[in-house]
Amino acid sequence: MSEAAIEKPAGTGEREAPVLWLHAVERRYSEAGAPLEILKGAELAVWPGESVALIAPSGTGKSTLLHLAGLLEAPDGGEVYIGGRATSKLSDSERTRIRRIDIGFVYQFHHLLPEFSALENVVLPQMIRGLSKKVARNNASELLGYLGLGERLSHRPSELSGGEQQRVAIARAVANAPRILMADEPTGNLDPKTADHVFSALGQLVRASRLAAVIATHNMELAGRMDRRVTIRDGLVVEL
Ligand SMILES: Nc1ncnc2c1ncn2[C@@H]1O[C@H](COP(=O)(O)OP(=O)(O)OP(=O)(O)O)[C@@H](O)[C@H]1O
């Protein structure tokens, strides 16, 4: 793992390494032939057990940043380190492996599999990872119970409320015990009370399992309950 050795973000001293570090990250798209620079050397380091709210106006690059951090896209410049490991020169299969093992993703529209029950939605990613059905089912029912869905295991997504569906999506995202949880507006389509429940569930998980969480949200009240708040300004990540 020699090329993987992390340079430390400035000012971190002897502190343990960040589990996620976006270093000098650039991302540009082209719009009608003209370059559209979204990230211009962005820096973001997140440590285990730390929750970071990403609050920025529409179109400034929140989803782009989450996609880069989640290895769903590659940066045009800079480096994304996961667990101290540089990811830009890894093969596709290694990136896929890191994505599957180290990273959990929760989307605004949960993308649950409609024909499967809540339990099965959380079992499947674990079986893809290679766990036996029995172990996966035990983990899934424990996790769903922890998120207050113990009585809803055999319900299909269409038989669950929006907040319940979103909690199933959270359970699915953390079922393989990732080190980083990324969420893109996870409460964006929920009423305030349900959003509060979902956020509390996320917070409990982050604290209980020393997850690092990066959550894009427009909800300032919920963002206020996280450890840190950052925004994107002129293509850079800025602490609020
Ligand atoms: N594949 C793409 N091709 C071209 N432009 C893109 C692409 N993806 C994103 N963009 C542009 O990049 C900018 C940032 O998009 P992004 O989705 O990251 O914003 P966002 O901050 O998440 O916005 P929102 O809060 O509305 O979801 C937008 O102007 C968008 O139009």
Side-chain angles (χ1 to χ4, degrees):
M1 194 163 127
S2 57
E3 96 275 15
I6 195 167
E7 310 161 42
K8 281 194 173 170
T12 55
E14 290 307 305
R15 202 173 166 190
E16 81 190 295
V19 64
L20 168 69
W21 182 26
L22 281 86
H23 178 44
V25 160
E26 297 170 16
R27 184 71 173 123
R28 62 190 76 89
Y29 300 111
S30 67
E31 192 179 49
L36 186 64
E37 289 192 76
I38 304 300
L39 298 175
K40 306 179 199 171
E43 291 286 332
L44 176 67
V46 187
W47 277 262
E50 189 179 41
S51 57
V52 177
L54 175 58
I55 314 148
S58 177
T60 48
K62 295 183 297 296
S63 302
T64 301
L65 189 138
L66 289 177
H67 289 169
L68 293 169
L71 308 188
L72 295 166
E73 286 180 34
D76 297 305
E79 184 60 90
V80 177
Y81 295 88
I82 305 282
R85 201 167 177 210
T87 56
S88 63
K89 297 195 176 66
L90 297 178
S91 66
D92 281 350
S93 66
E94 280 177 304
R95 288 164 65 86
T96 303
R97 194 170 160 271
I98 292 178
R99 207 160 52 225
R100 213 175 266 156
I101 293 175
D102 290 328
I103 299 167
F105 229 107
V106 182
Y107 301 90
Q108 176 172 3
F109 299 100
H110 46 73
H111 301 309
L112 295 173
L113 298 170
E115 68 276 28
F116 290 98
S117 69
L119 188 78
E120 288 162 343
N121 265 281
V122 184
V123 162
L124 281 171
Q126 300 179 72
M127 291 183 65
I128 292 168
R129 165 112 191 252
L131 291 190
S132 73
K133 194 168 183 182
K134 186 165 173 230
V135 172
R137 285 178 73 90
N138 281 345
N139 287 342
S141 66
E142 192 179 329
L143 204 44
L144 287 166
Y146 184 75
L147 293 171
L149 296 170
E151 308 294 315
R152 299 282 186 280
L153 302 184
S154 55
H155 288 228
R156 291 187 181 184
S158 62
E159 298 163 339
L160 297 168
S161 73
E164 288 170 344
Q165 292 175 37
Q166 202 53 303
R167 279 181 280 156
V168 175
I170 292 170
R172 179 185 55 183
V174 300
N176 284 330
R179 303 162 79 181
I180 308 163
L181 183 68
M182 234 85 71
D184 200 352
E185 292 286 353
T187 57
N189 61 341
L190 303 175
D191 65 80
K193 191 161 159 248
T194 312
D196 189 69
H197 272 140
V198 168
F199 232 77
S200 300
L202 264 172
Q204 273 168 23
L205 275 172
V206 168
R207 281 187 294 277
S209 42
R210 283 195 44 82
L211 260 174
V214 183
I215 302 181
T217 180
H218 284 114
N219 187 325
M220 291 302 284
E221 192 200 326
L222 298 179
R225 284 159 43 184
M226 306 189 64
D227 296 328
R228 270 198 297 144
R229 282 144 293 283
V230 300
T231 190
I232 300 172
R233 203 172 289 149
D234 298 329
L236 300 176
V237 175
V238 181
E239 300 277 335
L240 287 172

